[in-house]
Amino acid sequence: MTAPLHILHLEDSRIDAELVREILRAGDLEIEVECVDSKDGFVAALARGHHDIILADYSLPRFDGISALELARTLRPDVPFLFVTGALKDDSAVETLRLGATDFIVKQRLSRLVPAICRALREYEERRHRAKAEAALKFIAEASARLASSLDLKATLGNVARLAIPAFADWCIVELASAAAEVAERVATAHVDPGKQSLLHDLELRIDDLLRTGASRLHEQLNRAELDALVADARHAEDLRQLAPTSMMVVPMIVNGRVLGAIVFGFGTSQRWYDTRDLATAQNLAERAAVAVENARLYREIQRAVKAREELLAIVSHDLRSPMQSILMTATMLNCKLADDDRMEPRVEGILKSAEIIDRLLGDLLDLARFDAGGLVLDRGDRDLCEIVRDALAIVAPQAEQKRIRLVDHVAEAQLRAHCDPTRVSQILGNLLGNALKFTPEGGTITVAGKVIPGQGKVQIRVSDSGPGISDADREHLFERHWQARSQQRGGVGLGLSIVKALVEAHGGEVAVMSEIGRGSTFSFTLPAAAEHPPSPRAGGAHEHTRRG
């Protein structure tokens, strides 16, 4: 059944008032009319504030229509106001519209009254829906900003609950599902009346079915039976009645198919009601809140993982590396004392090589950890790259000789100088040369070359090999940590190239690779040229000590 149309009629003539009432009923309008004939009666009726439309005569003995219009625009600005009057001059009619009247109908043409009222109500609904949509967009935008402003979950959801008051609700409750999924923990409440906060805090609503199904609930106009069904027992039913709810919505917070909790919105003291448009707005907000809840959870997990990593690194740096250094030192001394034909020599050399591999891996792990934590220090100065490259080649020469791989140095010809940390550049070259030796077949060639990049204040070093080459698909992942191509032989844990990338970028340079299957690969990296002000490192994990030398 359609709700009746509540009309406030300002009219001093009982005959005219009854005539208007009969015409409206004849127009198939279900109406309830409150008729007043004075200023005091009109103001009192406006204060009660439940009318859908206002009709007013233009001239009354002790009051006038223009004054009534001004009062209505002040006290009930959204309610359509129509003049129903006798003869009205054109200039007076125009003036009523200018002052905010919706329409005017002369009593000699009351056949226009019903269509005029229907049109006014239709335009009012359109304005109301448009204003409501704009308010919803503003509410969602502000709530989204609050949700994105912090990873402190309870504080953020508390801000959202308060933001809903009073534009979108008279009171709001936010609950998060526990691990049991059917039990909720209250994390935020807000009420337009601070004195009723305690009621919200203690109120226990039945939302277990929503936590299971993820289905929203809209109670447009609450009745006694619905109120009782929303709470766990009679005590909480009384608490809910004290909130005097007229309308409620309960919407789930869902992410990746999981119900993380629920948000409850309620109208009460403002005598407003929710509709399906409001439910869509609430669901939009709940979706965004769910993402914020999930982000906060992931952030906490990351924090725990970082703490675990730091604890592991403390073990690596002390409890593992110190004994490994002792093993290395002892194996080296033992190897020096063994005769060439001692049958223990291969075993000692095996121990020495294994210890060196483990020590190098521990060093790689610590380097990456320092970089991630912003603790990697670069001791930079103007350095001769020819010397650094020559030393790096000398270190890998024994390995190259074992595999009959030819090492070619073209950097000496280029006479390159860079503003760099020589130890770290040696580490970059060592990783790239080690990678090239690993994949270059016996009898192959590894070439190191370099050049100045004109106009950029940079120098480039290239390490080329005659290995099998790298596919396009594999090349995309080369510098990712712990990644290794499936076609490659296993060795190490895939940290070398990620360390190269981190160290190059810490210098403000770039690393790249070119490769073709069957024709080898070329890894290149850039460094700031000497006597230039180096660009700020793009990665934030390095500090710098600078000196010229």
Side-chain angles (χ1 to χ4, degrees):
M1 182 171 120
T2 306
L5 184 66
H6 297 277
I7 298 175
L8 174 59
H9 192 184
L10 176 61
E11 175 61 72
D12 62 331
S13 168
R14 291 187 177 181
I15 295 175
D16 287 349
E18 186 59 35
L19 177 61
V20 166
R21 187 180 286 109
E22 289 302 320
I23 287 175
L24 294 176
R25 285 174 178 157
D28 291 331
L29 294 179
E30 186 176 348
I31 59 172
E32 287 186 5
V33 180
E34 180 179 3
C35 192
V36 296
D37 60 2
S38 66
K39 178 179 179 180
D40 290 344
F42 186 69
V43 171
L46 289 177
R48 287 191 288 275
H50 64 277
H51 302 98
D52 300 307
I53 199 161
I54 300 171
L55 306 178
D57 196 358
Y58 188 78
S59 299
L60 294 92
R62 293 178 298 278
F63 195 34
D64 65 273
I66 295 297
S67 297
L69 175 61
E70 291 174 348
L71 282 170
R73 292 284 72 86
T74 300
L75 298 176
R76 297 297 306 281
D78 296 330
V79 179
F81 188 106
L82 283 75
F83 279 107
V84 182
T85 186
L88 195 63
K89 295 180 180 179
D90 289 345
D91 56 346
S92 298
V94 171
E95 180 67 7
T96 63
L97 297 176
R98 188 187 68 81
L99 292 173
T102 307
D103 204 346
F104 65 90
I105 296 94
V106 294
K107 292 178 179 178
Q108 292 80 2
R109 297 186 61 187
L110 286 178
S111 60
R112 288 189 58 244
L113 182 57
V114 171
I117 287 176
C118 291
R119 183 176 63 253
L121 290 173
R122 187 170 59 251
E123 292 173 352
Y124 166 72
E125 282 299 306
E126 290 173 355
R127 289 195 304 273
R128 189 176 72 86
H129 288 151
R130 187 164 54 248
K132 200 169 188 178
E134 291 172 355
L137 287 174
K138 181 181 179 182
F139 171 58
I140 289 295
E142 292 180 0
S144 297
R146 296 280 183 93
L147 287 168
S149 65
S150 171
L151 289 169
D152 182 344
L153 184 60
K154 291 188 178 181
T156 300
L157 292 177
N159 285 337
V160 171
R162 287 187 290 274
L163 186 64
I165 310 302
F168 196 66
D170 293 334
W171 50 271
C172 180
I173 296 171
V174 183
E175 299 197 343
L176 290 181
S178 68
E182 295 180 13
V183 181
E185 173 195 1
R186 186 150 304 165
V187 293
T189 59
H191 198 292
V192 289
D193 181 359
K196 292 186 177 180
Q197 275 288 108
S198 59
L199 280 176
L200 286 182
H201 186 269
D202 297 334
L203 181 65
E204 289 187 15
L205 296 172
R206 296 181 60 181
I207 62 170
D208 51 325
D209 59 331
L210 179 142
L211 295 177
R212 284 195 308 270
T213 65
S216 299
R217 298 205 304 250
L218 169 62
H219 304 279
E220 294 188 54
Q221 292 187 322
L222 283 164
N223 55 43
R224 177 68 177 265
E226 286 180 310
L227 285 175
D228 291 342
L230 285 169
V231 293
D233 52 42
R235 181 175 68 84
H236 293 293
E238 179 58 31
D239 290 341
L240 185 58
R241 279 192 285 274
Q242 288 187 51
L243 293 173
T246 56
S247 188
M248 280 177 59
M249 296 184 295
V250 187
V251 292
M253 294 183 287
I254 303 175
V255 65
N256 299 327
R258 292 183 295 113
V259 180
L260 304 183
I263 307 179
V264 184
F265 301 95
F267 280 139
T269 54
S270 64
Q271 292 293 302
R272 290 177 287 174
W273 291 267
Y274 291 117
D275 57 25
T276 53
R277 293 184 180 87
D278 297 313
L279 182 63
T281 299
Q283 289 170 329
N284 190 333
L285 173 65
E287 289 173 5
R288 296 165 189 261
V291 172
V293 170
E294 182 69 0
N295 287 343
R297 183 188 67 80
L298 292 173
Y299 176 73
R300 289 196 298 269
E301 287 186 0
I302 290 171
Q303 292 297 94
R304 285 195 292 267
V306 168
K307 184 178 179 182
R309 185 195 66 183
E310 290 173 349
E311 291 172 351
L312 175 61
L313 288 171
I315 294 172
V316 169
S317 62
H318 183 268
D319 295 350
L320 291 181
R321 202 165 200 195
S322 296
M324 189 53 57
Q325 293 288 345
S326 298
I327 293 171
L328 265 173
M329 213 164 21
T330 303
T332 301
M333 291 173 58
L334 183 58
N335 195 41
C336 291
K337 292 183 178 181
L338 291 174
D340 292 340
D341 58 351
D342 195 316
R343 59 183 181 179
M344 292 296 294
E345 183 181 13
R347 298 181 183 180
V348 173
E349 286 183 351
I351 294 172
L352 191 57
K353 288 179 180 179
S354 297
E356 287 173 348
I357 290 170
I358 294 173
D359 189 62
R360 187 165 60 250
L361 176 57
L362 294 176
D364 287 347
L365 288 170
L366 289 171
D367 278 342
L368 286 174
R370 291 190 192 102
F371 192 82
D372 289 343
L376 184 69
V377 177
L378 295 180
D379 185 12
R380 301 216 275 188
D382 290 350
R383 303 295 182 183
D384 183 355
L385 287 180
C386 304
E387 183 179 341
I388 297 173
V389 169
R390 185 171 61 247
D391 291 344
L393 288 171
I395 291 172
V396 299
Q399 295 173 259
E401 187 176 348
Q402 287 179 359
K403 292 183 68 175
R404 292 185 289 115
I405 293 173
R406 190 163 66 100
L407 301 178
V408 180
D409 180 4
H410 286 320
V411 173
E413 304 168 3
Q415 297 183 349
L416 301 178
R417 288 177 62 80
H419 187 74
C420 62
D421 182 332
T423 302
R424 294 303 182 180
V425 174
S426 295
Q427 188 177 357
I428 294 168
L429 286 167
N431 281 344
L432 292 179
L433 289 169
N435 200 61
L437 282 167
K438 179 179 176 181
F439 297 110
T440 301
E442 288 192 8
T445 302
I446 296 174
T447 303
V448 183
K451 66 177 181 179
V452 175
I453 302 178
Q456 295 188 24
K458 293 182 180 181
V459 296
Q460 182 192 69
I461 298 293
R462 302 184 304 280
V463 177
S464 303
D465 63 58
S466 56
I470 306 166
S471 70
D472 292 342
D474 288 345
R475 203 155 57 235
E476 294 179 5
H477 304 284
L478 276 178
F479 298 101
E480 296 176 7
R481 294 183 190 182
H482 309 294
W483 184 89
Q484 290 184 331
R486 292 181 182 179
S487 60
Q488 294 176 358
Q489 61 192 33
R490 301 295 295 178
V493 290
L495 293 176
L497 291 178
S498 61
I499 291 174
V500 166
K501 185 174 187 289
L503 291 175
V504 169
E505 291 182 350
H507 279 84
E510 296 177 346
V511 63
V513 58
M514 295 185 298
S515 186
E516 186 177 343
I517 296 295
R519 304 193 65 177
S521 305
T522 296
F523 286 82
S524 63
F525 64 94
T526 60
L527 297 169
E532 295 281 350
H533 292 291
S536 298
R538 289 180 297 147
H543 303 292
E544 179 182 345
H545 295 169
T546 301
R547 64 181 178 216
R548 302 286 175 184

